[in-house]
Amino acid sequence: MTKKDLYCIKTDNGYGLFQEYDSYPNMFNYIFYVVYYAQIMSLSETEIQQAIKGEYYYSRISFEMWKKGFSKNILLSNPKVEFSARDFGIKDEDPYYGKCSLIYLGQYDLPYSVELPKYSRKLDLSKLSGKYKWNIHNEINNCLERNERGVSISYKKLNDNIKSYPRYFIAHPVEIKKRFNANYRQSEDDKWVERYFEEFYQEYPEYRPSKLKYEEVKYPLPVNELRELSKDIEEEKERKEYERFCDKIEELCLVFLDGIDQDKKAVRKWLKALIDGLNSLNKETGLIDTLEAEIIYEYVSNILKSLKKISLLEYLEEKRDW
């Protein structure tokens, strides 16, 4: 049954409006909301009426907080009263509801042009490759659209046919607030995804896709740079000890490369052998100091990046003792 309840969320620029609508039966059991692009500076009736006559898009929005002890009826019984996440018993740092303030505005007629979306766009992305595509979901039949060969229909970029389709997945209040603050437009979702990638890589630069080629980074070995350090050691005994240390690192690296060359699908196996060997060597000699560690780590991480094994960087960090 179509609903008409209109809500707004506090934004950096005023208030963003969204209105309950309807949905086809699906696995989510979350209805579509009509989200209006125009924001209002005050809760005056004039501004509200003007905003809901403007452009809009559809989005599923989750309000799980109704199930967390805060009755939705409290909000509905207090129109135009602002309730913060803390009023809902939710901490500011909550990734879905934190620092969000909601207001119930009352029941308003939906735009005459509103109709249930028959299709939605399901985003399929890989942070490791930095690539994504849009699959098309049939809302009526609750399944992905497929071609004559049974392959899911997908698009690398939005086009005029699919840019009006809503997102398949559920949005939370924090996401809706973020969209309003960034003047989000559904037709520009490609830019939104690219922005998401960039924000992720800014926080985790080690996962940024690399253009390094394995054959270009496997040599020279890191030991070449380490041997240069030995020239500054004045004591002959210490210098020879450091040179033996370099010989052992060279041996470990060559075994690492030989294993990868034999089977690039077993990189984790050869990485484990390398890390175990370096850990043992460091325990025995104590010679992998800060500079040595940086040189070795950069070399190994470049190998992993060139092989598109970015996820193994976490394994490297976790298992190394140097």
Side-chain angles (χ1 to χ4, degrees), residues 40-77:
I40 58 178
M41 297 303 295
S42 73
L43 301 182
S44 71
E45 192 64 24
T46 300
E47 285 197 63
I48 292 172
Q49 289 290 349
Q50 185 174 354
I52 63 177
K53 291 178 181 177
E55 293 182 89
Y56 56 86
Y57 67 97
Y58 304 100
S59 179
R60 292 185 178 97
I61 306 177
S62 170
F63 288 101
E64 288 294 324
M65 54 195 172
W66 305 142
K67 302 177 182 178
K68 296 184 177 182
F70 184 92
S71 173
K72 182 179 180 181
N73 289 330
I74 296 177
L75 194 69
L76 298 179
S77 301

Side-chain angles (χ1 to χ4, degrees), residues 77-309:
S77 301
N78 293 275
K80 297 197 176 178
V81 175
E82 186 172 326
F83 288 88
S84 69
R86 292 184 181 181
D87 293 324
F88 302 138
I90 298 172
K91 296 180 179 179
D92 284 345
E93 56 268 26
D94 187 281
Y96 304 113
Y97 306 101
K99 295 183 179 179
C100 287
S101 294
L102 299 176
I103 302 172
Y104 173 61
L105 298 174
Q107 288 207 331
Y108 288 78
D109 289 335
L110 288 155
Y112 290 116
S113 57
V114 162
E115 59 180 25
L116 274 178
K118 296 179 181 178
Y119 301 98
S120 59
R121 288 187 272 111
K122 189 173 184 179
L123 179 63
D124 182 4
L125 61 78
S126 169
K127 295 173 183 175
L128 300 184
S129 68
K131 296 180 180 179
Y132 68 93
K133 61 183 179 181
W134 299 104
N135 292 316
I136 305 305
H137 183 262
N138 187 312
E139 288 290 321
I140 300 174
N141 299 326
N142 195 25
C143 64
L144 290 178
E145 289 286 279
R146 300 180 182 277
N147 60 23
E148 296 176 353
R149 294 173 295 172
V151 179
S152 298
I153 297 173
S154 63
Y155 299 83
K156 293 182 178 180
K157 296 289 182 181
L158 296 180
N159 58 36
D160 289 339
N161 292 328
I162 70 169
K163 66 182 181 182
S164 64
Y165 296 169
R167 291 276 196 102
Y168 171 77
F169 289 114
I170 302 160
H172 292 83
V174 166
E175 171 72 9
I176 295 297
K177 179 180 177 180
K178 184 177 180 181
R179 291 181 187 180
F180 277 120
N181 287 339
N183 294 317
Y184 167 84
R185 304 290 293 190
Q186 185 175 259
S187 60
E188 298 177 349
D189 257 342
D190 285 331
K191 294 181 180 178
W192 191 258
V193 177
E194 289 162 6
R195 174 180 170 174
Y196 168 79
F197 273 132
E198 186 56 33
E199 289 176 351
F200 176 79
Y201 296 138
Q202 288 287 340
E203 185 173 359
Y204 303 100
E206 67 272 20
Y207 288 101
R208 188 181 291 276
S210 172
K211 296 181 180 180
L212 297 173
K213 304 296 183 183
Y214 173 65
E215 295 299 332
E216 297 174 356
V217 298
K218 61 191 292 188
Y219 296 110
L221 298 175
V223 73
N224 290 20
E225 193 172 348
L226 296 177
R227 291 192 194 282
E228 291 296 316
L229 300 178
S230 68
K231 297 178 181 179
D232 296 328
I233 302 176
E234 296 182 359
E235 292 290 336
E236 183 177 356
K237 182 179 178 181
E238 292 181 6
R239 184 170 61 254
K240 288 185 176 181
E241 181 183 354
Y242 195 87
E243 288 173 352
R244 287 194 293 271
F245 162 75
C246 290
D247 290 341
K248 185 60 178 176
I249 290 181
E250 180 175 15
E251 178 185 331
L252 290 170
C253 287
L254 288 174
V255 171
F256 176 57
L257 293 179
D258 186 56
I260 292 175
D261 290 339
Q262 291 182 45
D263 186 2
K264 288 187 171 61
K265 294 182 180 180
V267 176
R268 184 187 181 93
K269 170 185 174 182
W270 303 115
L271 176 62
K272 181 182 184 303
L274 176 64
I275 295 172
D276 290 346
L278 290 170
N279 286 346
S280 296
L281 180 62
N282 189 43
K283 185 176 181 180
E284 176 188 338
T285 66
L287 291 176
I288 304 183
D289 209 340
T290 302
L291 183 56
E292 287 82 3
E294 289 178 354
I295 292 171
I296 296 170
Y297 181 86
E298 182 179 8
Y299 172 77
V300 178
S301 65
N302 281 341
I303 291 290
L304 297 177
K305 290 177 182 178
S306 71
L307 295 169
K308 312 302 181 187
K309 301 291 184 179

